[in-house]
């Protein structure tokens, strides 16, 4: 798990770099909160969709002792990957908020 966590941290940095190329740092804590909340909603949506799929499609096969069709497993895996991607985006937004706050503090120190 430690190796995977290191890889995820690298993906968060990559996502953050991409987001920072397209959009400036947050102008306020409110803007940062809104972006973090939106990213969290994305994770929650993906988790809900995966949960429904597992409970409906996979359980319907498993409860009768049947093999789960390969297509269903591939779809569940795809949904899990989407959930992971949303979680990486959430981590990047939290990091962006932290960096934005550091910039605000530096600006406040210069103008004081």
């Amino acid at each position: 798990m430690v190796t995977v966590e290191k890889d995820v941290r690298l993906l968060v940095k990559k996502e953050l770099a991409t987001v920072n190329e397209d959009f400036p740092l947050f102008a306020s804590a409110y803007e940062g909160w809104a972006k973090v909340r939106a990213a969290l909603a994305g994770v929650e949506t993906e988790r809900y969709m995966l949960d429904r799929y597992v409970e409906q499609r996979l359980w319907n096969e498993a409860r009768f002792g049947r093999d789960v069709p390969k297509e269903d497993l591939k779809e569940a895996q795809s949904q899990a990957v989407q959930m992971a991607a949303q979680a990486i985006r959430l981590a990047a937004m939290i990091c962006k908020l932290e960096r934005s706050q550091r910039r605000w503090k530096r600006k406040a120190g210069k103008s004081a």
Side-chain angles (χ1 to χ4, degrees), residues 26 92-103:
F26 301 133
M93 291 300 101
I94 294 168
C95 187
K96 185 171 183 138
L97 177 56
E98 189 272 329
R99 289 181 181 189
S100 297
Q101 287 184 153
R102 277 191 278 151
R103 184 191 67 185

Side-chain angles (χ1 to χ4, degrees), residues 23-37 97 104:
F23 303 100
L25 291 175
F26 301 133
S28 67
Y30 178 81
E31 180 186 9
W33 167 83
K35 296 295 185 178
V36 167
R37 188 63 193 101
L97 177 56
W104 304 333

Side-chain angles (χ1 to χ4, degrees), residues 45-87:
T45 298
E46 293 297 335
R47 193 214 58 83
Y48 176 81
M49 297 300 289
L50 179 58
D51 183 66
R52 294 294 86 221
Y53 198 84
V54 168
E55 289 303 315
Q56 293 172 5
R57 300 294 292 270
L58 276 57
W59 173 239
N60 283 338
E61 302 299 332
R63 70 182 170 153
F64 295 114
R66 298 186 298 234
D67 287 347
V68 177
K70 185 177 180 179
E71 300 79 32
D72 287 352
L73 294 173
K74 284 186 176 268
E75 180 59 27
Q77 181 185 18
S78 177
Q79 288 180 347
V81 168
Q82 288 299 316
M83 187 174 70
Q86 288 290 341

